[in-house]
Amino acid sequence: MSLALVAALAGALVLGGWQLSRRRVPPAAETAGEDFDAELDAARAEVLADPRVAADVIKLWMRA
């Protein structure tokens, strides 16, 4: 995978997550801990779905 492709995928994941978080209106009863757990579960699911992309993103962050 080229570095440009990895950067584009990472950017798409970040932008997509940002867009989803803007649209989502948290219920009044939801606490910050529950929201964090939901985001953590979503991140885990993405990593399990394609661990190579996650590894490439981490490598990119480590170089920066």
Side-chain angles (χ1 to χ4, degrees):
M1 250 190 217
S2 71
L3 185 59
L5 180 59
V6 171
L9 287 173
L13 286 174
V14 169
L15 183 60
W18 178 72
Q19 288 292 332
L20 287 175
S21 68
R22 280 189 62 203
R23 283 188 243 155
R24 182 177 49 172
V25 177
E30 186 177 35
T31 63
E34 291 173 353
D35 189 41
F36 177 77
D37 288 339
E39 289 184 30
L40 186 59
D41 288 340
R44 283 185 185 136
E46 287 182 29
V47 169
L48 290 174
D50 198 351
R52 181 176 223 159
V53 172
D56 288 339
V57 169
I58 292 170
K59 287 179 195 174
L60 181 65
W61 289 341
M62 295 298 291
R63 289 182 192 159

